[in-house]
Amino acid sequence: MSRLIAHLVQKTTLSKQQIENILKLLQDGATIPFIARYRKEMSGGASDEVLREFETLYLSSKRLLEKKEEITRLIQERATLSDAIRKRIEAADNLRVLEDIYRPFKENKTSRGGMAIASGLEPLAQQLQSGRHSIAALRQLAQNFLNETITSIDAAIKGAQDILAQRYAEDSNNREALRASMLRSGIMEIKKTKNFQEKGLFKNFIDKKEKISYIPSHRYLAIMRGVHEKELSVKISIALERVEADIKRHTIPHNAADSKALLFDAYLDGFKRLLFPSIEREVHAILKERADEAAVTVFGKNLAQLLLTPPVTKRVILGVDPAFVSGCKLAVIDENGNYLEHVVIYPTAPKNDYENSKKTVAKLTEKYHIRAVAIGNGTASRETQEFFAKLNRDGIKLDYTVVSEAGASIYSASKLAQDEYPMLDVTIRGAISIAQRLRDPMATFVKIDPKSLGIGQYQHDVNQKLLEKKLRDITTDLVNRVGVDINSASLSLLSYVAGIGPSIAANIIKYRNENGNFRTKSDLLKVKGLGQKAYEQAAGFIRIKEGENPFDNSGIHPESYTIAQKLEPMDLDSINLNACASTLGVGVLTLKDIIFELKKPGFDPRSTLPAIPFKNDVTDITMIKEGSVVSGIVRNITDFGAFVDIGLKHDGMIHISKMREKRISHPLEVLALNQYLPQITVVSVDYETGKVGLSLIES
């Protein structure tokens, strides 16, 4: 553990004491949200993001140290462990370097070099490697190695060359040099295969050569998807003449006899047959790891922005699931998200029943005092927006906004949706989900697999374990950062509360159904399976509105209620933090948090973000042209740009080069999901395909 802590001190900005504290908390069953929020003095005030990074570093460092011990043991069992190799093992900072060090010590009896060693040709290989012998002298030496398996001089020399080829390919310096060279200056060539679709997704990738270091992560994933689908083939190349020159200059003895030609052939064979293919595979693995990390990071940031979308509170909302033939499904929910009623209208083709649809919406609006409309962005969304815009012109004033339908159909057919709305049709559940996405995005989206939310790229191509962990961690951290109303939260939302998993969440709902609303946080201890440790982890993130204790609707942990009570009568704006913290026996960081909660009871961090914009009219693609100025909402962010809903059937696209005059490395530097953009310039319009190019740069 001391070696591990020393390693972590070098790799992080955390102190040795903070690292020891965090590891002790984690070993005692503390969760990341709990440490970040309620153990700030122990962690140095590290945020949940910093703690997640530390957790990842801790696990990878632990694996690295364990691998060092394993390789040290294996080498000691098979050979003499020299001080030089021991030092190299200690200095290794990643698993690939360790594998390079260990590779020459692995038994490889089935390779050509391994079989030559088994045939007793290693001494001959050493003589060849020395370069001291002429070819004639070497052939004379080879006669001493003939046996049942090696029946000729040529076979003996070839076996010796195979041994040297393998040594060259297994040399850790050669491997690292080629790996670095390939990543720095290697060229990737992309060609089409016999299965290539001329008008398919990969038509812009074929017959291209590009430096590996210039290929962005998203394009690499796209290329490899083409390879996976057998439409593309790729190969990596480097300057072979430079490799040949390096072999002659650095690997073959300068005073070698004419047998240096045999030696050169052996090393070049080792490069072409063994080393290059092996490193090419490794480079693809490295590129994939980097691309996965980049894609997962974008996915995670998009999910965070989506979950932190401000809720639309104190409004009755009409959710609209648009369609043509089957009609638009409407569902009404009240201010608390409770389902009230549903109907089906047919304002779009083929029926175009405007009058009856108008009467139905007017009746619902009057009956429930509807104040907001959420329209799904799927099929017939555009036409449905036109219908509500016309209603506004005809005197039925209903502001609407368009929300993403991504994942709505998956949710509506899920067991969770069946349990929540057992008597309703799948399509009506979809309309309810659309309304709920507007009322409380976080509470709604946690019910759906994040990979189905349409907020990333290549989610099916990246490392699934990495993606799932990232999305689970982000959801967990944000749910706890916002807090959860114990008396209204769904099973899905409760499952993300620190210390509470699906099993305890189900028990909480069962208790709530059998005993009514929770009145105090201490009531949680009456829930089956929820013990003192789970209570400690969860209690601070639970909210109880209109309970017996007003502190229960805050982020103050019950362990600090006594301190909060002492602070209540004080002038919170004039407190000397250091003196007060000393008097109350609490850390300054914790004291600051308690004061903040007392000043802003029931604070929701989402309330500080820009509200979702509404509209009452539509835009037609014929109404815009190059140079037009429009407004819109960012719906998706990728490595190369952002897709913006500007009120058309298809989202417009802002390329990364059109976001700022100065170069940026990623769209997330300047844009956020669901961000409202009041002024966007149209730079291109394709009226046939409906594609619109946009720019944030003033012309």
Side-chain angles (χ1 to χ4, degrees), residues 43-182:
S43 69
S47 66
D48 44 25
E49 292 98 334
V50 170
L51 289 170
R52 293 290 180 193
E53 291 173 3
F54 172 80
E55 183 184 41
T56 300
L57 178 62
Y58 163 69
L59 293 174
S60 63
S61 299
K62 189 166 178 279
R63 285 195 297 270
L64 181 66
L65 292 180
E66 289 171 348
K67 192 68 175 178
K68 286 183 178 183
E69 292 176 0
E70 180 189 3
I71 284 178
T72 299
R73 177 180 58 79
L74 289 171
I75 293 177
Q76 285 176 327
E77 289 175 357
R78 295 178 182 178
T80 301
L81 180 65
S82 67
D83 289 340
I85 292 177
R86 189 186 296 277
K87 288 178 181 178
R88 288 176 61 201
I89 291 173
E90 284 300 315
D93 60 358
N94 62 68
L95 295 176
R96 281 197 176 88
V97 173
L98 283 176
E99 286 295 333
D100 284 348
I101 295 170
Y102 177 56
R103 187 177 292 270
F105 298 94
K106 287 182 179 179
E107 291 185 359
N108 196 349
K109 296 180 179 180
T110 59
S111 67
R112 282 164 45 177
M115 289 188 289
I117 291 172
S119 297
L121 294 175
E122 196 163 17
L124 182 61
Q126 291 170 344
Q127 294 298 326
L128 173 59
Q129 187 176 22
S130 70
R132 296 195 304 266
H133 305 285
S134 65
I135 293 177
L138 194 67
R139 293 182 67 84
Q140 187 69 33
L141 283 172
Q143 290 182 353
N144 300 323
F145 295 91
L146 301 182
N147 53 42
E148 292 181 359
T149 55
I150 306 298
T151 57
S152 69
I153 292 174
D154 288 338
I157 292 176
K158 185 69 178 69
Q161 286 180 303
D162 287 341
I163 293 171
L164 296 182
Q166 184 166 306
R167 285 181 183 173
Y168 180 87
E170 290 178 344
D171 183 273
S172 58
N173 292 324
N174 292 339
R175 296 185 68 81
E176 180 53 37
L178 179 58
R179 189 184 296 119
S181 174
M182 200 178 285

Side-chain angles (χ1 to χ4, degrees), residues 354-404:
Y354 176 75
E355 290 302 325
N356 283 324
S357 299
K358 173 184 173 182
K359 290 176 183 177
T360 300
V361 173
K363 184 178 178 181
L364 287 174
T365 302
E366 183 178 359
K367 181 178 179 180
Y368 295 111
H369 306 290
I370 295 170
R371 295 181 54 203
V373 180
I375 302 174
N377 67 342
T379 303
S381 176
R382 169 71 188 170
E383 292 76 9
T384 304
Q385 292 175 59
E386 291 174 351
F387 164 69
F388 278 94
K390 190 174 181 182
L391 287 183
N392 272 281
R393 293 192 292 271
D394 287 351
I396 302 175
K397 300 300 181 182
L398 282 173
D399 289 346
Y400 69 86
T401 190
V402 178
V403 301
S404 171

Side-chain angles (χ1 to χ4, degrees), residues 621-646:
I621 196 167
T622 58
M623 298 164 59
I624 63 173
K625 59 183 180 180
E626 289 185 25
S628 295
V629 177
V630 296
S631 61
I633 302 172
V634 179
R635 294 299 185 194
N636 195 13
I637 297 176
T638 66
D639 287 316
F640 58 81
F643 293 91
V644 182
D645 178 3
I646 59 173

Side-chain angles (χ1 to χ4, degrees), residues 19 76 179 184 216 234 271 383 450 567 592 622 631 664:
I19 289 171
Q76 285 176 327
R179 189 184 296 119
R184 183 178 60 252
V234 297
F271 174 83
E383 292 76 9
L567 286 168
K592 283 182 178 179
T622 58
S631 61
I664 60 172

Side-chain angles (χ1 to χ4, degrees), residues 324-531:
F324 288 115
V325 177
S326 59
C328 294
K329 275 65 69 176
L330 311 183
V332 185
I333 61 171
D334 66 15
E335 296 93 331
N336 297 315
N338 298 310
Y339 162 74
L340 299 174
E341 186 179 342
H342 75 271
V343 294
V344 181
I345 60 175
Y346 299 87
T348 62
K351 291 189 176 181
N352 292 314
D353 188 357
Y354 176 75
E355 290 302 325
N356 283 324
S357 299
K358 173 184 173 182
K359 290 176 183 177
T360 300
V361 173
K363 184 178 178 181
L364 287 174
T365 302
E366 183 178 359
K367 181 178 179 180
Y368 295 111
H369 306 290
I370 295 170
R371 295 181 54 203
V373 180
I375 302 174
N377 67 342
T379 303
S381 176
R382 169 71 188 170
E383 292 76 9
T384 304
Q385 292 175 59
E386 291 174 351
F387 164 69
F388 278 94
K390 190 174 181 182
L391 287 183
N392 272 281
R393 293 192 292 271
D394 287 351
I396 302 175
K397 300 300 181 182
L398 282 173
D399 289 346
Y400 69 86
T401 190
V402 178
V403 301
S404 171
E405 286 186 20
S409 60
I410 294 173
Y411 159 76
S412 59
S414 68
K415 185 179 184 303
L416 177 61
Q418 292 171 22
D419 292 341
E420 290 182 327
Y421 307 105
M423 305 303 292
L424 297 179
D425 181 73
V426 170
T427 56
I428 303 305
R429 294 179 201 146
I432 295 172
S433 177
I434 288 169
Q436 298 284 19
R437 289 169 186 227
L438 184 61
R439 191 193 75 84
D440 192 341
M442 176 177 285
T444 305
F445 287 128
V446 295
K447 299 177 183 179
I448 302 166
D449 182 351
K451 290 181 287 186
S452 300
L453 293 176
I455 52 171
Q457 266 196 309
Y458 307 109
Q459 58 260 40
H460 301 297
D461 300 282
V462 301
N463 183 312
Q464 293 301 294
K465 288 185 178 179
L466 180 69
L467 178 61
E468 287 168 8
K469 184 181 186 307
K470 182 75 169 181
L471 301 181
R472 183 176 62 253
D473 289 347
I474 284 176
T475 304
T476 298
D477 293 343
L478 294 182
V479 166
N480 288 284
R481 195 180 301 173
V482 170
V484 173
D485 182 351
I486 192 74
N487 289 321
S488 65
S490 66
L491 173 67
S492 300
L493 192 59
L494 283 170
S495 297
Y496 285 105
V497 176
I500 296 176
S503 178
I504 295 178
N507 291 341
I508 289 173
I509 291 176
K510 182 180 179 183
Y511 180 92
R512 194 170 70 194
N513 292 338
E514 293 174 353
N515 300 278
N517 284 351
F518 289 84
R519 300 299 300 162
T520 67
K521 288 187 178 181
S522 59
D523 286 343
L524 281 166
L525 290 168
K526 299 175 184 177
V527 174
K528 181 182 178 182
L530 201 156

